[in-house]
Amino acid sequence: MDMTMCGRIYQNPLRPTEIYINIGWNTKGKQLYPQYEPWMAAQGISQAEYNQIISAVREEFDNNAPISNICIAQGAMCLCMATCGVLFCGCLWLKMKVDSFNNNAKELVTGVSNNKMSLSMVEMAGAQHGAWVDSKGAPLLVRMGRGTQPGGPPLGYNLIFSTQSPIPWPPAAGMQPALATVVGAPVVANAVVVEAPMQQGMGCQPSSG
């Protein structure tokens, strides 16, 4: 399970007023929560509000994450495949559990944030979605075949909010990563690579959104 994109904040390059706060997956213990960043204050989100939202989301995932262990999801999928779908009850049960968790978590985020944020589960990423960069200036690279390309969005669960207008990104000056030259081509140092496409829960996840 790839955790490299988790615990980071991104701007959607195709919709630059959209900010994604990636918190990880729905497997117990597989979450990372970014710290509050000062530029959020100008967008109507105070540190107290942010901490309250993160605290509520953390409690929800800690107590109610639908997958206690990734082996459970893998086992359900393998059993279904081994019996040619005869014993698909495990996958069906897991999907229902994930759907219920997603609905509850979405309502929680909407309520505790006073409609300032929403929660979305992203299962697919690719270069076609633009070059995503986090708030520290590190790009997100998506593995495509044998190489990598800038892409996104970040896989897993994202808290999403909108800025009043497109803001400079990354928001902190002087945070752009250095460039190195390899075989005559510029390569971004400290880039993060994620696999794509990728699905959490061995295909038992519901659609994003």
Side-chain angles (χ1 to χ4, degrees):
M1 184 177 298
D2 195 333
M3 295 289 292
T4 58
M5 78 290 286
C6 306
R8 300 163 64 195
I9 302 172
Y10 306 84
Q11 182 186 62
N12 183 345
L14 301 184
R15 296 180 179 177
T17 58
E18 281 188 352
I19 304 298
Y20 280 55
I21 303 171
N22 188 277
I23 60 174
W25 303 96
N26 58 15
T27 300
K28 193 173 182 64
K30 297 299 183 180
Q31 298 83 40
L32 291 174
Y33 302 93
Q35 294 292 321
Y36 179 82
E37 297 186 1
W39 58 268
M40 295 179 182
Q43 307 306 320
I45 298 178
S46 68
Q47 184 167 0
E49 287 177 309
Y50 182 85
N51 290 343
Q52 182 181 16
I53 295 167
I54 293 297
S55 178
V57 171
R58 185 195 300 270
E59 183 177 358
E60 179 70 14
F61 275 78
D62 286 349
N63 294 335
N64 301 311
I67 303 176
S68 58
N69 190 302
I70 190 61
C71 293
I72 294 177
Q74 292 173 337
M77 191 64 182
C78 289
L79 184 61
C80 181
M81 294 174 63
T83 60
C84 298
V86 174
L87 297 179
F88 70 97
C89 297
C91 274
L92 181 60
W93 168 80
L94 186 59
K95 184 182 185 304
M96 292 175 62
K97 191 175 182 181
V98 170
D99 285 346
S100 177
F101 172 80
N102 286 349
N103 290 334
N104 292 337
K106 288 177 181 179
E107 290 181 5
L108 171 70
V109 170
T110 300
V112 74
S113 69
N114 293 319
N115 294 309
K116 290 184 178 181
M117 290 189 185
S118 62
L119 181 71
S120 178
M121 168 62 180
V122 176
E123 298 182 79
M124 304 292 289
Q128 70 272 21
H129 299 298
W132 290 65
V133 177
D134 72 14
S135 60
K136 307 302 182 185
L140 189 62
L141 299 185
V142 177
R143 194 176 301 280
M144 304 291 290
R146 296 184 179 180
T148 59
Q149 297 183 37
L155 299 170
Y157 285 83
N158 293 275
L159 297 169
I160 302 174
F161 71 92
S162 296
T163 58
Q164 298 171 10
S165 60
I167 61 176
W169 200 262
M175 298 299 291
Q176 291 286 359
L179 292 178
T181 301
V182 178
V183 195
V187 177
V188 180
N190 301 322
V192 177
V193 178
V194 302
E195 297 283 351
M198 173 179 177
Q199 291 192 350
Q200 168 74 354
M202 299 300 293
C204 295
Q205 289 288 1
S207 300
S208 61

